Amino acid sequence: MKRGENQMKFLKIPIDKPLTHVSSGHFVSPINWSHSKRNIDSFVLIVGLQGTAYIQQDKEKYEVKPGNVLILLPYTTHFGYEISKESVSYYWCHFYCKNSSIVDESTFTKELFVPKIEASIHNDCNYVMVPIYSSYTNTDRINILFNQLLHVAYSDYYTSYGASYLLTLIMMELTQQTISDHIQKLKDDETNGKFIKMLEWIRINIENNISVCDIAREFNYNPDYLSRMFKQKIGISLIKYINSLKITKAKKMLLCSDNSIKEIAYKLGFTDEKYFMKLFKKMENITPTQYRNAFFYTHMNNH
């Protein structure tokens, strides 16, 4: 539980190269313990195992219990704001990473959550997004990976990169579980169940020239209400969502077929080839022809 809870924030980290493991361990506190005050240059990953650790990071207060994961940021003062009367236990890991950023929940939804819902989209993602603070219902895999990390970090392993790769895998697992938990929450709610069906309907009909009014009529919504509701749930507009699916499919068709740009545009429900090309350039910062020329041979050379 987090006191004074705001919109969830995520740490976004590229994983083209592994995160850099610095040190890690399994901490067990005495009774009547409080976290010391620190301001350090590395990130700290904390996975709660037993008891409750009361940790404040700047103005935000967190209660780290079993199943909770907290990331402490570099050059940010953190300390125990309350004494833990019972013994506290947690895994911890100090690490460095390059080109990281803090993003909000709408970015997570747009870049990871929505593509995961759409089974037709293969998301070759080269980064992780881990909540600064979150609770996980199934920590078995996380705990197993952390045990492996500690084994590699403190055994006579032939390369120090082993711990860094395992840490990166832990962050990938946390990202995957966050996505899965979000999907399950949608499915558990009756209203959201209808929303999932709507996303599936859009996916099936993505090659047609579907509009907000078409979707609203199919699912008995007022078009204006549907647009507001969709933006609230997903974080992007319904039109932008539809266009993103069309452009994703267009990219695949550019690499896997000999269809002309005009043919691809029409197959995806665009009545205006020039509008399709303009939209593609806006979303991908490259024209359809440039995309095909840049990636076609790379794709053909892959199994």
Side-chain angles (χ1 to χ4, degrees):
M1 175 181 179
K2 175 183 171 183
R3 298 185 178 180
E5 189 157 2
N6 298 315
Q7 187 186 42
M8 187 178 288
K9 297 293 184 182
F10 293 77
L11 176 63
K12 180 179 180 180
I13 309 172
I15 51 173
D16 300 284
K17 295 181 179 179
L19 285 66
T20 302
H21 172 272
V22 178
S23 59
S24 54
H26 178 190
F27 174 76
V28 180
S29 79
I31 59 174
N32 297 322
W33 166 85
S34 179
H35 198 291
S36 58
K37 188 173 184 178
R38 293 176 181 171
N39 188 314
I40 57 179
D41 66 349
S42 66
F43 291 90
V44 185
L45 174 66
I46 295 177
V47 178
L49 297 174
Q50 176 184 316
T52 303
Y54 303 95
I55 300 176
Q56 181 167 336
Q57 179 167 221
D58 277 348
K59 296 181 180 180
E60 298 290 345
K61 294 181 178 180
Y62 303 91
E63 296 179 3
V64 182
K65 300 178 180 180
N68 293 151
V69 175
L70 173 65
I71 296 176
L72 300 175
L73 306 178
Y75 305 109
T76 302
T77 301
H78 58 269
F79 56 91
Y81 66 88
E82 188 174 319
I83 294 175
S84 300
K85 296 181 180 180
E86 58 181 340
S87 179
V88 172
S89 172
Y90 57 76
Y91 291 128
W92 59 271
C93 179
H94 290 251
F95 66 93
Y96 295 116
C97 57
K98 294 182 179 180
N99 302 317
S100 65
S101 59
I102 303 297
V103 299
D104 59 21
E105 194 164 0
S106 63
T107 302
F108 165 80
T109 301
K110 176 184 175 182
E111 296 187 13
L112 287 183
F113 180 43
V114 171
K116 182 63 179 178
I117 291 177
E118 295 299 335
S120 64
I121 298 177
H122 179 60
N123 190 26
D124 291 324
C125 189
N126 63 347
Y127 53 83
V128 294
M129 279 194 205
V130 181
I132 297 299
Y133 173 84
S134 191
S135 179
Y136 296 88
T137 54
N138 183 7
T139 58
D140 289 345
R141 287 176 59 85
I142 299 169
N143 292 340
I144 289 171
L145 288 171
F146 230 111
N147 273 309
Q148 291 177 324
L149 168 64
L150 296 180
H151 171 74
V152 169
Y154 294 102
S155 62
D156 190 19
Y157 216 66
Y158 83 99
T159 172
S160 61
Y161 280 101
S164 293
Y165 277 106
L166 277 166
L167 170 61
T168 306
L169 185 57
I170 289 171
M171 301 299 267
M172 293 169 67
E173 177 64 25
L174 291 171
T175 301
Q176 178 59 49
Q177 287 203 28
T178 302
I179 295 170
S180 299
D181 286 349
H182 273 62
I183 293 175
Q184 191 59 49
K185 286 177 183 177
L186 276 180
K187 291 181 177 179
D188 288 344
D189 186 279
E190 184 177 348
T191 303
N192 287 330
K194 184 178 180 181
F195 187 74
I196 292 288
K197 290 180 180 178
M198 183 174 66
L199 293 179
E200 177 65 11
W201 186 89
I202 295 172
R203 183 186 68 81
I204 292 172
N205 292 277
I206 199 62
E207 295 184 13
N208 300 323
N209 188 20
I210 55 176
S211 66
V212 173
C213 289
D214 293 331
I215 300 168
R217 185 165 49 251
E218 179 70 22
F219 290 90
N220 298 315
Y221 284 119
N222 173 277
D224 291 336
Y225 171 79
L226 173 60
S227 296
R228 291 194 302 271
M229 183 262 287
F230 194 94
K231 180 70 178 289
Q232 182 180 20
K233 285 182 177 292
I234 297 298
I236 59 175
S237 71
L238 180 51
I239 290 297
K240 191 171 183 179
Y241 174 74
I242 293 170
N243 286 337
S244 69
L245 294 187
K246 286 181 179 289
I247 296 304
T248 297
K249 192 147 192 174
K251 288 160 64 178
K252 186 174 182 179
M253 294 171 72
L254 285 166
L255 299 183
C256 299
S257 76
D258 294 326
N259 295 134
S260 67
I261 305 300
K262 184 176 182 179
E263 289 172 332
I264 291 174
Y266 286 162
K267 284 187 176 183
L268 290 173
F270 292 97
T271 56
D272 186 343
E273 175 191 359
K274 291 183 179 179
Y275 174 73
F276 164 71
M277 295 172 67
K278 182 178 179 180
L279 181 65
F280 193 101
K281 177 70 180 293
K282 180 180 179 181
M283 297 185 69
E284 299 297 325
N285 295 315
I286 191 173
T287 68
T289 300
Q290 289 171 331
Y291 182 87
R292 170 173 270 172
N293 291 340
F295 298 106
F296 179 75
Y297 290 107
T298 300
H299 178 80
M300 291 297 291
N301 284 330
N302 288 335
H303 289 286

